[in-house]
Amino acid sequence: MAFPDLAVNAIYTILCLVPGFISVKTLTYIGDLDTDMSEFEKSTWSFIASGVSLSVTYFAYVAWTTVTTGRFVLIRSLDITWIEVVTIYPVLLLVAAVVGYLSAKVFVRTLGNPTGPRPENVQ
């Protein structure tokens, strides 16, 4: 029995958005940010973070295949099965957490912590 196309698309959509939510939550937790974002803003930032995480994972795959095959091809077709999705998904979630962590470190380093004391005000 096969899933209808709409159900498969909904599953893929959820699977693709979860890494972004992990990145945003990691960023707000590590950066110690107290954010009052609307649901729209959370969804938008999660969508952007998912794109970043998926892109980083894809380019890591391109780098890996370049090293293993000795041929650099920037655009590779990905015809993956459910088993491969289940295998690679934890790697994608790890990449999402790393993206959120690095983003938090860059954010706090460049802009400071907006919820904590400013460095110039601390004596």
Side-chain angles (χ1 to χ4, degrees):
M1 179 176 158
F3 282 115
D5 287 339
L6 184 60
V8 171
N9 289 340
I11 291 170
Y12 276 129
T13 301
I14 291 169
L15 289 176
C16 286
L17 288 178
V18 168
F21 284 111
I22 289 174
S23 291
V24 170
K25 282 296 189 184
T26 304
L27 180 127
T28 56
Y29 179 76
I30 297 295
D32 196 25
L33 304 173
D34 185 25
T35 58
D36 288 331
M37 291 189 287
S38 68
E39 291 299 318
F40 177 75
E41 291 171 326
K42 286 180 192 175
S43 298
T44 303
W45 283 113
S46 296
F47 182 71
I48 292 168
S50 287
V52 171
S53 298
L54 287 166
S55 297
V56 167
T57 305
Y58 173 77
F59 286 117
Y61 167 75
V62 167
W64 174 257
T65 55
T66 299
V67 168
T68 57
T69 63
R71 249 179 13 141
F72 176 72
V73 179
L74 184 60
I75 300 174
R76 296 185 177 270
S77 79
L78 295 174
D79 187 23
I80 57 177
T81 63
W82 279 101
I83 294 171
E84 292 165 334
V85 168
V86 169
T87 304
I88 296 299
Y89 199 68
V91 174
L92 177 60
L93 297 179
L94 178 66
V95 168
V98 169
V99 165
Y101 177 80
L102 293 176
S103 298
K105 291 299 181 182
V106 167
F107 182 78
V108 170
R109 178 110 168 131
T110 57
L111 300 176
N113 189 349
T115 58
R118 299 236 180 245
E120 62 269 5
N121 295 338
V122 176
Q123 297 177 355

